[in-house]
Amino acid sequence: MLIASGTWAFLVVAAMVIASIILLRTLNAPRGLPYCRRPSLLTTAEARFYRTLAKAVDDRMTIFAMVRIADLLVVDSKTANGGGWFNRISCKHVDFVLCDPESLDAVMAIELDDASHGQPDRTERDTFVDAAFRSAGFPLLRIPAQAQYDVGELRATLERQCVFGK
């Protein structure tokens, strides 16, 4: 059976269009995994507080930022539905953790509370986090976000919390 020349031309053009689409998709396909680098670990407000916190603790504490709560608290092994309780903390983090500079034992967690903490979902999250830390006997300090911080005032707050030992 013979194919008319118009049909051949159509098939050639269609094949070229399909080949072009495949080529473009191949060239535009993401390479590797779909991750991008985050521009900064801390927000501008968190970085501002961090600089003040570093001055307030001087070399008496080591500061870690963005620590998962599950790296600070563990679920008691005798707890029913331990996996469910773990899931409630596994994806949450605190803004800062103060650690003993020698042992690196965590001493206190700090949350920087900005305006978002007034929203109902954040308030519910904060209530749960506060209760979890209280239950574990782990100090959690909440600091309202501000445009500026006073180093001496922050140091005095930390001293009142007995962060620096006695």
Side-chain angles (χ1 to χ4, degrees):
M1 171 158 69
L2 296 173
I3 300 178
S5 64
T7 305
W8 274 112
F10 173 77
L11 290 174
V12 168
V13 169
M16 290 175 57
V17 168
I18 291 171
S20 296
I21 290 171
I22 291 170
L23 179 63
L24 285 174
R25 283 190 177 171
T26 302
L27 292 175
N28 291 329
R31 307 266 188 252
L33 299 176
Y35 300 111
C36 299
R37 182 177 179 160
R38 188 175 181 172
S40 178
L41 181 62
L42 302 176
T43 66
T44 302
E46 291 165 341
R48 183 181 316 118
F49 177 77
Y50 174 86
R51 287 188 288 278
T52 305
L53 181 61
K55 290 176 186 171
V57 301
D58 198 22
D59 60 351
R60 298 186 289 178
M61 289 284 142
T62 299
I63 304 167
F64 290 92
M66 305 312 229
V67 177
R68 266 186 349 142
I69 293 174
D71 293 326
L72 299 170
L73 308 181
V74 295
V75 178
D76 186 305
S77 62
K78 295 173 250 158
T79 303
N81 189 24
W85 287 105
F86 174 79
N87 289 340
R88 292 194 68 188
I89 63 172
S90 67
C91 291
K92 292 177 176 64
H93 73 272
V94 290
D95 295 319
F96 303 99
V97 175
L98 299 181
C99 295
D100 177 276
E102 295 300 317
S103 66
L104 294 180
D105 289 342
V107 174
M108 171 182 275
I110 299 175
E111 279 279 80
L112 189 61
D113 291 345
D114 60 15
S116 71
H117 287 259
Q119 297 173 357
D121 62 327
R122 282 301 291 213
T123 301
E124 183 179 322
R125 177 230 183 249
D126 290 348
T127 299
F128 170 75
V129 168
D130 290 346
F133 275 83
R134 200 170 34 257
S135 171
F138 193 111
L140 172 65
L141 178 63
R142 290 192 173 278
I143 302 284
Q146 302 169 31
Q148 294 184 36
Y149 301 92
D150 181 274
V151 173
E153 189 178 305
L154 181 55
R155 184 179 296 126
T157 298
L158 296 172
E159 286 171 350
R160 281 193 302 277
Q161 299 291 321
C162 299
V163 169
F164 302 123
K166 297 196 179 192

